[in-house]
């Protein structure tokens, strides 16, 4: 049976984001993806390889969304706020659905080298993107002159993860925006 591989991975992302790796049964994955067991094994190898492909794709999409938000605003501060909230803004956004990246870290910790490699690579890119905009903000006088952009980027990644968890718990955009702005004040002059 022919199927759209990209569409199937997109549906797998939704299942894994909702239930985690262990909580996602093969039967539910097959039903949501609209494929048979043989197609799963033939196209993806097994549930673990499907999860890793889904995580890579999710992280790539999340990174693209964040980098786009960082590039839109002229003000580094506004760009960083937009990037922190990018996952919760837009017509097709469902932030309460959960973040596959944060979920995978919560589920696996540092126990799985394959998951670590995917998340570590994404983390380096997220950190570099935030650090670059923080450096711009320091140069523009929007943040403390002695702010270390690398340390600030680590802080923002922690804030971003917390915002995603809060959204999963039902926090609306106003509450998320308020938390993001409070965090940004911690970087002020």
């Amino acid at each position: 049976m022919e199927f759209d591989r990209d569409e199937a991975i997109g549906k797998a992302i939704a299942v894994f984001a909702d239930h985690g790796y262990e909580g996602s049964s093969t039967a539910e994955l097959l039903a949501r993806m609209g494929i048979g067991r043989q197609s799963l094994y033939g196209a993806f190898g097994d549930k673990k390889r499907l999860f890793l492909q889904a995580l890579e794709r999710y992280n790539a999409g999340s990174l693209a969304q964040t980098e786009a938000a960082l590039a839109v605003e002229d003000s580094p501060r506004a760009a960083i706020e937009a990037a922190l909230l990018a996952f919760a803004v837009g017509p097709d956004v469902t932030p309460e659905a959960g973040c596959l990246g944060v979920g995978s870290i919560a589920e696996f910790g540092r126990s799985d080298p394959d998951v670590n490699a995917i998340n570590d690579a994404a983390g380096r890119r997220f950190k570099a993107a935030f650090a670059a905009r923080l450096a711009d903000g320091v140069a523009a006088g929007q943040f403390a002159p002695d702010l270390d952009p690398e340390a600030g980027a680590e802080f923002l990644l922690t804030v971003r993860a917390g915002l995603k968890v809060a959204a999963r718990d039902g926090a609306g955009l106003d509450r998320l925006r308020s938390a993001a702005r409070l965090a940004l004040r911690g970087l002020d002059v």
Side-chain angles (χ1 to χ4, degrees):
M1 175 176 124
E2 290 292 317
F3 67 94
D4 183 322
R5 182 182 174 82
D6 287 336
E7 183 180 317
I9 291 175
K11 291 178 180 177
I13 289 170
V15 174
F16 288 130
D18 284 346
H19 306 292
Y21 175 75
E22 287 296 329
S24 298
S25 71
T26 302
E28 182 175 6
L29 285 163
L30 295 174
R32 291 274 294 274
M33 293 167 70
I35 64 174
R37 190 172 296 274
Q38 280 308 112
S39 294
L40 171 73
Y41 295 121
F44 303 104
D46 58 17
K47 178 182 163 184
K48 179 67 180 288
R49 288 191 196 117
L50 171 62
F51 177 79
L52 295 172
Q53 290 176 47
L55 181 59
E56 282 182 333
R57 173 134 151 236
Y58 179 86
N59 283 350
S62 183
L63 182 60
Q65 180 185 57
T66 299
E67 288 175 331
L70 285 169
V72 168
E73 299 288 339
D74 289 334
S75 160
R77 180 184 204 85
I80 291 169
E81 180 181 322
L84 288 173
L85 299 171
F87 75 94
V89 179
D92 299 327
V93 171
T94 55
E96 69 281 354
C99 172
L100 185 55
V102 172
S104 70
I105 293 167
E107 184 171 1
F108 288 96
R110 297 297 296 171
S111 69
D112 188 292
D114 295 325
V115 172
N116 294 346
I118 292 167
N119 284 332
D120 290 350
R124 284 189 296 275
R125 288 192 54 197
F126 278 112
K127 183 178 173 183
F130 276 116
R133 285 307 261 167
L134 282 171
D136 294 343
V138 169
Q142 293 182 1
F143 300 114
D146 62 345
L147 176 67
D148 174 0
E150 296 290 317
E154 289 283 351
F155 170 70
L156 292 174
L157 290 178
T158 301
V159 168
R160 183 175 169 274
L163 292 171
K164 287 186 166 209
V165 171
R168 176 89 190 230
D169 190 39
L173 184 57
D174 289 342
R175 187 170 141 207
L176 298 172
R177 182 173 284 116
S178 177
R181 287 180 177 166
L182 183 60
L184 286 172
R185 286 200 330 238
L187 305 174
D188 281 348
V189 176

